[in-house]
């Protein structure tokens, strides 16, 4: 594990935290407190997406694990936000949008796996 992979893992760890913020009664829903906190977490997690990619390229630390985890972290973050928004306010995000991303997620994961297999294959020759 290297620093870019740890940063990616922190983005994955933000997913349950964002879900908890949006669904718990700990934050005041009347003042929009939970939406602001969740938005802040989402923005911070989104910023780490650029940081981990930059660091991986700059340091030459691009790994197969990172190539697989990075798109997965992105999809988990976005899917969790959409699903919570459907639960909180269905008029903002219709359920078919939140659920319809499955095909895109699977496609993105296949692309990442194909790239890593191609990379390994070319190294072996």
């Amino acid at each position: 594990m290297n620093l870019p992979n740890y940063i990616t893992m922190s983005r994955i760890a933000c997913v349950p935290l964002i879900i908890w913020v949006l669904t718990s009664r700990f934050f005041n829903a009347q003042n929009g407190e939970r939406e602001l906190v969740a938005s802040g977490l989402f923005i911070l997690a989104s910023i780490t997406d650029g940081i981990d990619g930059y660091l991986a390229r700059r340091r030459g630390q691009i790994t197969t694990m990172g190539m697989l985890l990075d798109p997965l972290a992105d999809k988990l973050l976005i899917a969790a936000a959409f699903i919570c928004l459907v639960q909180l306010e269905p008029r903002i995000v219709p359920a078919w949008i939140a659920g319809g991303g499955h095909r895109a997620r699977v496609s993105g994961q296949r692309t990442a796996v194909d790239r890593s297999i191609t990379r390994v294959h070319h190294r072996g020759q």
Side-chain angles (χ1 to χ4, degrees):
M1 286 276 287
N2 55 33
L3 181 60
N5 287 346
Y6 280 118
I7 293 171
T8 300
M9 294 296 286
S10 73
R11 192 162 66 252
I12 292 172
C14 276
V15 171
L17 186 58
I18 289 172
I19 292 171
W20 176 75
V21 167
L22 285 172
T23 59
S24 75
R25 302 210 186 276
F26 184 77
F27 296 96
N28 188 353
Q30 296 286 332
N31 300 333
E33 188 176 282
R34 69 178 170 196
E35 289 84 358
L36 286 172
V37 172
S39 296
L41 286 170
F42 187 89
I43 290 168
L44 286 174
S46 298
I47 291 170
T48 66
D49 186 25
I51 293 171
D52 67 3
Y54 171 77
L55 289 175
R57 287 186 301 277
R58 177 129 168 105
R59 294 176 165 199
Q61 294 179 328
I62 297 172
T63 63
T64 303
M65 182 172 138
M67 289 172 38
L68 294 173
L69 283 181
D70 191 65
L72 178 65
D74 297 341
K75 305 312 182 246
L76 286 171
L77 187 65
I78 292 169
F82 272 155
I83 290 168
C84 287
L85 285 173
V86 167
Q87 177 188 356
L88 293 174
E89 192 59 50
R91 291 176 295 158
I92 294 174
V93 180
W96 64 268
I97 290 176
H102 173 71
R103 188 173 200 122
R105 285 191 300 272
V106 171
S107 175
Q109 290 166 352
R110 284 186 186 146
T111 301
V113 170
D114 288 345
R115 285 183 188 163
S116 67
I117 290 171
T118 303
R119 235 173 134 201
V120 170
H121 177 70
H122 286 295
R123 283 187 201 161
Q125 290 181 348

